[in-house]
Amino acid sequence: MTRRHIAYLACATAAVAAGLGAAPSTDAPTVHRVQPGESIQKAVDAAKPGDTVLLAPGTHKESVDITVSNLTLRGHGAHRTVLVPGTDSGRSACAKAGNGICVTGTDKKPVERVTVRSLTLRGFEKNGLWATGTDRLKVQQVTAEKNGQWGIAEERSVRSVLTHNAVEKNGDAGLFVANTTDTEEGARDAGKTVIQHNRMADNRVGVTVRRLRNLTVDRNEATGNCAAVFVVGDESEPRAGALSVTRNHIHANNKYCPKTPRLPFLQGSGIVLTGAEETLVAWNRVENNKGTSPLSGGIVLFKSLVGAPNERNEIRDNLVTGNSPADLADRDTAKTNTFSRNTCTLSEPAGMC
């Protein structure tokens, strides 16, 4: 082969390679941009897995159903992009239910890898964000405020990441995670769900973990709620627990909330365990939570509503001060829970500080 032939082949190969590199990919994700007044739902319905629906700054009057996997719904920041209830509640199932954003899958076919971030959900009759049947849901930098029931809530979901959110002035829990809300069953494995770096203020409860196992509540701040952290279980099998509540700052949760058919009145409750097992409560800073409810105090163990005791829980290395009527309160009947290396002043019974 001559030098001229070799040079020709090299040039041809380079040209082909350059052409292939410049060819557009048919699988490239699309950004669907939505201005206030335009339909978010239409953009979500047109999106394919991998796409992003980007909401412009301003107020969007709509509820949104998400049923496609690998989708991102993103605003331009919680202080700039706001979702409020629309005027036509018949447009979506989510709106009819009184929710802002609904991420909906099933046990057999979960919706996977959905991300919701950088927006505010305000004033919905029921929940700001409601998720059921999800896998690896991410909710980040979302403000959920003044919603009728829960700010950000999920059930039947695994491997969720709920981080850097602000949940304020919601009717019940700011953050709510549960096995299921429509049937009675044992605790579900949450698949290492993470609730981290959230701020929870002026709700009935900051965060409620109900009948779940295998998750972490870590490095959150809760203040101004009636109760800060509730871990709820009962006698069902498997039991709730095998989770951790660590490195949270729980202070001045002294709002008064009247009793309900399920709970006495709430005020001044820091971290409460009812009917849970094998839960680690450690390295928390729990201060100035004061009240006269049966559940009042800094860190409280209390039997469940059906009388199931807390068992084999470990409460250690916490700073618990200025709480009333006690910093540490074991108001349960089981003898298998342990308290060690906590810094506190008053305990029920005495001798745990």
Side-chain angles (χ1 to χ4, degrees):
M1 183 178 294
T2 68
R3 291 182 178 179
R4 180 180 297 175
H5 286 141
I6 292 172
Y8 175 80
L9 289 174
C11 291
T13 301
V16 170
L20 289 174
S25 171
T26 58
D27 296 326
T30 299
V31 177
H32 305 261
R33 301 177 186 275
V34 183
Q35 297 292 328
E38 297 178 343
S39 173
I40 304 171
Q41 192 63 58
K42 285 184 179 179
V44 168
D45 292 344
K48 297 180 180 179
D51 287 358
T52 294
V53 176
L54 180 61
L55 307 183
T59 300
H60 299 255
K61 298 179 180 180
E62 187 178 354
S63 296
V64 184
D65 282 296
I66 299 175
T67 57
V68 63
S69 292
N70 196 19
L71 177 73
T72 295
L73 178 65
R74 181 165 66 86
H76 275 75
H79 298 292
R80 301 184 66 198
T81 301
V82 181
L83 268 68
V84 299
T87 56
D88 184 358
S89 62
R91 289 192 174 185
S92 72
C94 191
K96 289 179 180 179
N99 301 319
I101 295 174
C102 299
V103 186
T104 307
T106 65
D107 286 345
K108 292 184 178 180
K109 190 176 180 181
V111 173
E112 300 180 352
R113 298 182 185 277
V114 167
T115 297
V116 179
R117 64 178 299 161
S118 302
L119 49 83
T120 288
L121 301 167
R122 178 186 298 145
F124 289 93
E125 181 181 358
K126 197 168 185 183
N127 309 311
L129 184 145
W130 169 247
T132 182
T134 69
D135 184 355
R136 287 163 287 186
L137 171 70
K138 290 184 179 180
V139 184
Q140 300 171 314
Q141 299 173 1
V142 168
T143 293
E145 61 185 16
K146 300 179 182 178
N147 300 291
Q149 187 172 6
W150 302 317
I152 298 169
E154 68 173 27
E155 64 162 7
R156 303 174 183 269
S157 296
V158 296
R159 295 186 282 186
S160 301
V161 177
L162 311 178
T163 62
H164 295 94
N165 303 294
V167 287
E168 302 178 351
K169 299 181 180 179
N170 297 287
D172 196 325
L175 294 169
F176 178 85
V177 291
N179 57 348
T180 175
T181 59
D182 57 6
T183 59
E184 292 292 328
E185 63 176 48
R188 291 195 179 205
D189 189 320
K192 296 184 179 180
T193 285
V194 174
I195 301 172
Q196 192 173 69
H197 294 299
N198 301 287
R199 187 175 191 276
M200 305 167 288
D202 203 18
N203 308 283
R204 181 178 176 85
V205 180
V207 55
T208 297
V209 178
R210 195 173 84 181
R211 298 176 188 162
L212 287 175
R213 299 175 67 84
N214 192 15
L215 77 155
T216 299
V217 180
D218 181 68
R219 293 184 174 92
N220 303 283
E221 180 188 11
T223 188
N225 307 282
C226 304
V229 179
F230 249 92
V231 179
V232 181
D234 54 28
E235 81 282 11
S236 301
E237 294 293 337
R239 299 265 320 264
L243 56 92
S244 63
V245 180
T246 53
R247 289 178 285 258
N248 301 285
H249 187 198
I250 310 296
H251 59 104
N253 292 278
N254 299 326
K255 180 180 174 181
Y256 176 88
C257 291
K259 68 178 182 179
T260 68
R262 296 181 63 87
L263 287 174
F265 81 90
L266 297 177
Q267 186 180 39
S269 295
I271 299 171
V272 180
L273 273 58
T274 68
E277 68 175 12
E278 298 169 356
T279 293
L280 173 65
V281 180
W283 310 299
N284 300 284
R285 183 177 173 185
V286 186
E287 302 172 299
N288 301 319
N289 303 282
K290 301 177 181 181
T292 57
S293 167
L295 300 174
S296 296
I299 300 175
V300 179
L301 270 59
F302 199 86
K303 64 184 179 181
S304 75
L305 295 175
V306 295
N310 294 283
E311 297 182 295
R312 301 180 304 284
N313 299 288
E314 185 178 7
I315 295 87
R316 62 176 172 85
D317 298 301
N318 301 283
L319 173 61
V320 199
T321 63
N323 303 281
S324 178
D327 295 317
L328 300 177
D330 187 357
R331 300 178 184 136
D332 211 331
T333 56
K335 304 301 181 183
T336 57
N337 303 294
T338 61
F339 294 77
S340 63
R341 300 194 303 273
N342 299 290
T343 300
C344 61
T345 303
L346 297 172
S347 69
E348 298 177 13
M352 295 193 296
C353 293

